Amino acid sequence: MDIPDEPLAISVLTGFLGSGKTTLLKELLQHPDMDETAVIVNEFGEIGLDHLLVESSTEDIVLMNSGCLCCTVRGDLVETIRKLYKQRLIQEVPAFNRIVIETTGLADPAPILQTLMSDPFLSDRFRLDGVIVTVDAINGAETLTNHQESVKQAAVADRLLLTKTDLSQDKDFSDLLARLKDLNPTASVFKTAKGQIDPAQLFNAGLYNPETKSLDVQNWLKAEAFDNEHNHSHAHDHNNHGHGHDQGHDHGHHHHHGHDHSHDVNRHDDKVHAFCLTHDKPLDWDQLNSWVDMLITLYGSNLLRIKGLLNIEGDKNPIVIHGVQHVFHPPVMLENWPDSDRRSKIVFIVKDLKKEMFEDTFKAFMEQSEDLI
């Protein structure tokens, strides 16, 4: 039995129809650095594996020359992953250390992430590394404008791949890049042509860093992406609409009469946005849980992704939380703080919700406990 020393990494690869995902996969499958990777695809035919040289093939597993495994989903994804893991244990397949799950172009990645977090077999044996999303450099802006699914995909990504950059006349892609940055300030963006990219740029996007064998919370949370505009929310509200009216020392007067969207630069993307809440004092764990429970109950499907580093009263070490819509991964306690900053930071990626609601309700829930002191 070949039992892994540590949880195996899972990455989710998605991207809208025609965004170059298939080309990327073809190239990745042949890359020598994919030798300890198993790629699960929805349909073999879609990838056109017939044209690739393969060493051996069973009914649903192909071993590539690169040493990469390619496996097709036959029915349920969870069952496919469980079967692959068991085959690894009894050494029916090479000892892969990573699984890449390719989803269909119309798919919302959230259900897959929720499954990985909530299935006991998977959550014990695997760790979510990250979401990789392909965006077409030529048609990406149009796709974002016309398809809400593509906006959600880009918003929850850890890695954004701008594809077909060799075919576009507009060589700087600055408008599309700015739009993606607004949607998702924390994702790393890479440009690729003809599907060629170093796999190392796609992976190790998760909380766990396999090189240091430790948890790299700063690289995962990327709260500093909001430092310039979001973390000063006590002084101004910069929630992607750029209204900038003074919110200093507010007492709930948040002008909830609705924004005039005709002035928004990215009016098609304004349904989805990201922001970071910070809090200086240690938090009461029960009050925080009550607040999060309220958010999940009322707005679960609109909470696309939540990542947090928390300073909890009575705990010397910080707690990390990670949620996708209704489902949260069990909290993780870090061995120490990443630096001298002891503030709690929570990054939200949300749809059809305003930052003010989060600030107001957070304040209300936290002040319940502060009033008792």
Side-chain angles (χ1 to χ4, degrees):
M1 296 276 280
D2 183 12
I3 298 172
D5 301 334
E6 57 192 38
L8 305 176
I10 288 192
S11 301
V12 178
L13 170 62
T14 190
F16 209 69
L17 297 165
S19 65
K21 194 170 44 133
T22 303
T23 309
L24 179 82
L25 261 178
K26 277 185 184 178
E27 291 296 323
L28 278 180
L29 287 170
Q30 298 173 84
H31 200 291
D33 289 352
M34 293 285 284
D35 62 332
E36 293 183 338
T37 304
V39 179
I40 297 177
V41 295
N42 279 288
E43 282 300 327
F44 269 163
E46 216 180 289
I47 308 300
L49 283 181
D50 318 337
H51 310 302
L52 300 177
L53 294 168
V54 292
E55 281 187 7
S56 63
S57 175
T58 62
E59 184 194 353
D60 55 1
I61 292 183
V62 175
L63 183 61
M64 314 302 296
N65 282 344
S66 62
C68 185
L69 282 176
C70 200
C71 173
T72 188
V73 177
R74 297 216 183 267
D76 183 41
L77 176 65
V78 173
E79 280 311 308
T80 301
I81 298 172
R82 286 181 183 212
K83 184 179 172 189
L84 205 52
Y85 185 85
K86 286 169 185 167
Q87 286 172 309
R88 183 197 189 283
L89 283 190
I90 59 175
Q91 299 172 355
E92 270 186 18
V93 299
F96 58 85
N97 290 323
R98 172 183 309 281
I99 291 181
V100 176
I101 301 168
E102 178 260 345
T103 73
T104 60
L106 290 166
D108 177 354
I112 293 178
L113 302 184
Q114 290 179 327
T115 300
L116 300 177
M117 287 178 171
S118 57
D119 183 274
F121 182 93
L122 298 185
S123 59
D124 280 352
R125 292 162 180 81
F126 293 94
R127 58 184 169 85
L128 176 64
D129 184 49
V131 180
I132 304 159
V133 177
T134 51
V135 178
D136 182 337
I138 302 166
N139 302 312
E142 194 181 333
T143 306
L144 288 171
T145 299
N146 294 329
H147 299 282
Q148 186 69 31
E149 299 95 331
S150 73
V151 175
K152 285 169 75 173
Q153 287 173 350
V156 301
D158 297 287
R159 300 281 187 266
L160 285 166
L161 302 188
L162 208 56
T163 61
K164 307 182 188 175
T165 51
D166 54 324
L167 303 177
S168 174
Q169 298 305 308
D170 175 16
K171 288 298 179 193
D172 65 355
F173 323 110
S174 52
D175 290 349
L176 178 56
L177 287 170
R179 197 166 168 181
L180 292 171
K181 184 90 178 151
D182 271 350
L183 262 181
N184 186 345
T186 66
S188 302
V189 181
F190 299 99
K191 296 175 186 174
T192 170
K194 300 187 173 76
Q196 294 182 340
I197 192 164
D198 182 349
Q201 294 184 303
L202 305 182
F203 304 133
N204 299 342
L207 182 57
Y208 180 78
N209 182 339
E211 288 176 15
T212 59
K213 307 282 184 195
S214 62
L215 302 178
D216 185 356
V217 68
Q218 284 174 308
N219 214 18
W220 173 74
L221 189 66
K222 290 194 171 70
E224 75 282 355
F226 300 90
D227 277 351
N228 296 334
E229 47 188 324
H230 296 273
N231 274 353
H232 305 300
S233 57
H234 300 298
H236 293 89
D237 172 35
H238 290 291
N239 67 348
N240 269 18
H241 300 305
H243 297 290
H245 45 260
D246 187 22
Q247 296 278 34
H249 310 295
D250 52 76
H251 298 285
H253 307 298
H254 280 313
H255 313 292
H256 284 298
H257 51 253
H259 294 304
D260 179 1
H261 289 260
S262 62
H263 296 303
D264 290 346
V265 180
N266 297 317
R267 59 187 176 279
H268 299 292
D269 307 346
D270 59 12
K271 287 175 177 292
V272 175
H273 68 121
F275 56 88
C276 181
L277 293 189
T278 60
H279 194 69
D280 296 338
K281 297 179 193 166
L283 299 169
D284 179 289
W285 180 247
D286 293 332
Q287 296 294 349
L288 182 82
N289 267 324
S290 301
W291 178 62
V292 171
D293 283 345
M294 180 276 297
L295 292 175
I296 290 172
T297 304
L298 295 179
Y299 310 111
S301 58
N302 291 32
L303 304 172
L304 303 186
R305 206 161 176 188
I306 300 167
K307 294 177 175 184
L309 175 68
L310 307 175
N311 185 342
I312 302 298
E313 266 174 26
D315 283 330
K316 185 165 92 283
N317 301 349
I319 302 279
V320 172
I321 56 168
H322 186 196
V324 175
Q325 293 182 341
H326 302 274
V327 176
F328 269 75
H329 192 279
V332 176
M333 182 175 279
L334 299 185
E335 287 183 16
N336 41 47
W337 282 88
D339 60 19
S340 59
D341 187 354
R342 297 289 185 271
R343 291 177 303 166
S344 294
K345 302 173 186 179
I346 311 177
V347 171
F348 287 92
I349 300 170
V350 300
K351 176 177 177 284
D352 291 327
L353 297 173
K354 291 193 164 45
K355 182 182 177 183
E356 295 98 320
M357 183 278 291
F358 289 85
E359 290 176 325
D360 291 351
T361 55
F362 179 82
K363 197 172 167 202
F365 273 81
M366 293 310 143
E367 282 179 356
Q368 288 175 30
S369 57
E370 287 174 13
D371 289 346
L372 301 174
I373 296 169

